Amino acid sequence: MYILISNVGSTSLKFKLYRMPEEEVLCEAKIEKIGSQDGIYHYKNDINGRTHGEDSTPLDTYAVGINKFLSDLCDKELGVIASVAEVQAIGFKTVISKGFNGTVLLTDEVMAGMKEYLFIAPVHNAAYISAIEQFRGILPDTPMVGVFETSFHRTIPLRNRLYPLPYEWYEKYGLAKNGYHGASFTYVSQEARRDGDFRRIIGCHLGGSSSICAILDGKSFDSSFGFSLQTGLPHANRCGDADPYVVPFLEDQGMSFEEIREGLDKKGGLLGISGVSNDLREIEEAAGAGNERAQLAIDVFVNDIVRYIGSFFAEMGGMDKLVFTGGIGENSSLIRRMVCDSIKHLGVELDSEQNDKVRGNGFISTSSSPVKVQVIAANEELGIARETYGCLQG
Ligand code: AMP
């Protein structure tokens, strides 16, 4: 069975075509800077190695990128199938939908639920809805499956999820911690337990969006993400944890709700603190050149990671393995070193040489470290492919 997995970003799209249940990747594509005149398109046939090399091209809408990919997918030279009709399902990473969780067929009701929750996930749900609707237009008869980012966290006990707010708000609006990055942590949890039965794992997904997950016996036990995606660690542009009374205070100071929201969604996070960039590479470079606010952004980020690791360590009664994943977790030896150096007292001994070398996958703790530290390259697509296949099997 051929299953196409689509991983949608606010300005990017990634595709992988899987043969299931063999879990064989037949081809993949990456489309960046959608909405601009200098979009980047890259396609690779994983069977014969042929590529549609990095191509700078106008990518006005998701539909342009999707059509370009579908055309390569069935191309005589580059393609892996003869016709798009051979794709039996499309699996999407989806964030949140009112009234739905887990892995579900993307019906009109589920899409309506995603629209209702645009308020909680403005950046993500808007992009996902747009890409899914484009696909539905192009391939109306192909089943589309959504794997919700909140699914993995359904096992978090209520005492770890509930806010100290009027209980009726929880009953009426579901105001409690949702947790996100479920596709990433599902994969991390499976991979991290391949080399031993690690009971207490703390996973750090650090990237444009960042979160920490306490994984107890393979199940989510706590997450730094709360009800919305504007919680927990500082993100690229979005704020992390902040005092909720910041909002009424700023309103009282005369700021409009839209201005406040823009600060929380777009002008906060690493960009807000550093004033330099939302991209950690550029922040690291500026800090290296003596920019104090860039250094401050790094210090706040690391301190918040350490604080969450500490609290999850305490909640689980210890930590057997620490995992780094996501663009920053996989690549930034600086952030990994700063975090690990701050938690030596929790039994983390970093192998500095390994840490400098590892990009993507590998171990970065010493052989005698009581806590193993592993870097795992995020593979959300495989988790989504497994879930989509399971959903179609009923
Ligand atoms: P993601 O959202 O998982 O794709 O991660 C994007 C983030 O990873 C951006 O902030 C990048 O700056 C960061 N990143 C990617 N490569 C590196 C690197 N070599 N060093 C530091 N940060 C990196």
Side-chain angles (χ1 to χ4, degrees):
M1 173 185 281
Y2 296 125
I3 294 182
L4 178 63
I5 301 305
S6 172
N7 196 342
V8 184
S10 49
T11 59
S12 68
L13 267 176
K14 285 185 216 158
F15 293 110
K16 275 189 185 170
L17 184 74
Y18 283 88
R19 193 200 311 272
M20 296 297 283
E22 296 83 354
E23 300 188 349
E24 184 189 358
V25 179
L26 302 179
C27 72
E28 54 201 291
K30 197 171 177 188
I31 306 169
E32 294 172 273
K33 294 193 180 181
I34 293 172
S36 79
Q37 288 304 301
D38 58 346
I40 301 167
Y41 177 86
H42 184 266
Y43 169 95
K44 180 171 175 230
N45 175 326
D46 287 282
I47 302 169
N48 64 19
R50 291 211 175 105
T51 60
H52 185 142
E54 210 141 280
D55 189 4
S56 183
T57 176
L59 285 168
D60 307 344
T61 61
Y62 285 97
V64 178
I66 294 168
N67 279 318
K68 215 168 157 70
F69 168 70
L70 292 179
S71 138
D72 280 350
L73 184 66
C74 306
D75 182 80
K76 275 206 185 104
E77 300 270 303
L78 293 171
V80 287
I81 52 176
S83 143
V84 284
E86 290 178 52
V87 175
Q88 273 138 305
I90 305 178
F92 292 89
K93 182 178 83 175
T94 39
V95 176
I96 190 164
S97 171
K98 188 176 180 187
F100 296 94
N101 205 338
T103 301
V104 296
L105 280 170
L106 290 169
T107 59
D108 290 344
E109 292 74 25
V110 178
M111 295 300 288
M114 284 171 73
K115 283 177 192 157
E116 274 214 49
Y117 269 176
L118 263 174
F119 198 89
I120 305 175
V123 183
H124 299 81
N125 269 16
Y128 288 45
I129 290 165
S130 165
I132 293 166
E133 283 179 349
Q134 309 263 10
F135 258 115
R136 288 172 118 201
I138 300 168
L139 298 171
D141 300 323
T142 310
M144 316 249 164
V145 174
V147 182
F148 281 96
E149 284 283 73
T150 48
S151 311
F152 184 63
H153 302 290
R154 282 180 298 181
T155 50
I156 298 180
L158 189 58
R159 67 169 187 278
N160 294 356
R161 295 182 52 228
L162 206 56
Y163 294 123
L165 295 170
Y167 191 75
E168 311 83 80
W169 295 1
Y170 165 63
E171 292 179 307
K172 190 167 177 194
Y173 304 111
L175 273 188
K177 194 180 271 186
N178 285 313
Y180 298 90
H181 284 155
S184 173
F185 286 124
T186 303
Y187 181 73
V188 160
S189 163
Q190 290 162 350
E191 289 302 301
R193 286 179 300 129
R194 278 191 195 282
D195 63 317
D197 185 20
F198 297 99
R199 286 203 62 227
R200 299 162 303 185
I201 297 170
I202 296 184
C204 307
H205 180 116
L206 311 176
S209 234
S210 295
S211 79
I212 305 210
C213 182
I215 303 170
L216 187 60
D217 294 323
K219 297 191 181 100
S220 178
F221 185 68
D222 209 337
S223 163
S224 61
F225 262 134
F227 178 67
S228 81
L229 291 126
Q230 288 66 240
T231 48
L233 301 177
H235 308 279
N237 295 62
R238 307 192 317 275
C239 69
D241 290 338
D243 178 344
Y245 247 63
V246 160
V247 176
F249 170 76
L250 291 175
E251 273 180 332
D252 188 56
Q253 296 296 302
M255 274 174 77
S256 73
F257 183 68
E258 273 319 306
E259 282 173 306
I260 299 171
R261 226 185 125 159
E262 200 184 20
L264 302 177
D265 284 356
K266 299 197 174 81
K267 295 184 176 169
L270 295 175
L271 172 70
I273 300 174
S274 72
V276 169
S277 169
N278 65 357
D279 189 306
L280 187 78
R281 277 167 292 204
E282 289 169 21
I283 298 172
E284 284 186 6
E285 211 179 298
N291 184 309
E292 285 180 14
R293 268 178 61 186
Q295 186 58 51
L296 190 59
I298 293 174
D299 292 344
V300 170
F301 187 53
V302 169
N303 197 52
D304 284 359
I305 296 168
V306 168
R307 186 187 297 124
Y308 268 108
I309 291 174
S311 64
F312 292 167
F313 182 103
E315 265 183 2
M316 292 197 290
M319 163 172 65
D320 304 309
K321 190 183 252 194
L322 177 67
V323 175
F324 289 99
T325 189
I328 295 173
E330 290 162 33
N331 294 298
S332 175
S333 51
L334 174 77
I335 297 291
R336 295 190 309 229
R337 178 171 54 72
M338 288 176 76
V339 170
C340 290
D341 284 353
S342 304
I343 51 171
K344 282 185 186 156
H345 57 295
L346 302 185
V348 171
E349 283 172 19
L350 186 73
D351 179 330
S352 297
E353 258 179 53
Q354 273 304 106
N355 182 45
D356 288 342
K357 272 191 220 150
V358 170
R359 296 280 180 276
N361 280 303
F363 285 89
I364 57 170
S365 45
T366 62
S367 54
S368 59
S369 176
V371 176
K372 298 271 164 291
V373 186
Q374 188 175 2
V375 179
I376 297 178
N379 190 348
E380 295 169 312
E381 290 85 2
L382 181 56
I384 302 166
R386 286 175 182 161
E387 287 286 321
T388 305
Y389 180 72
C391 175
L392 294 174
Q393 301 301 301

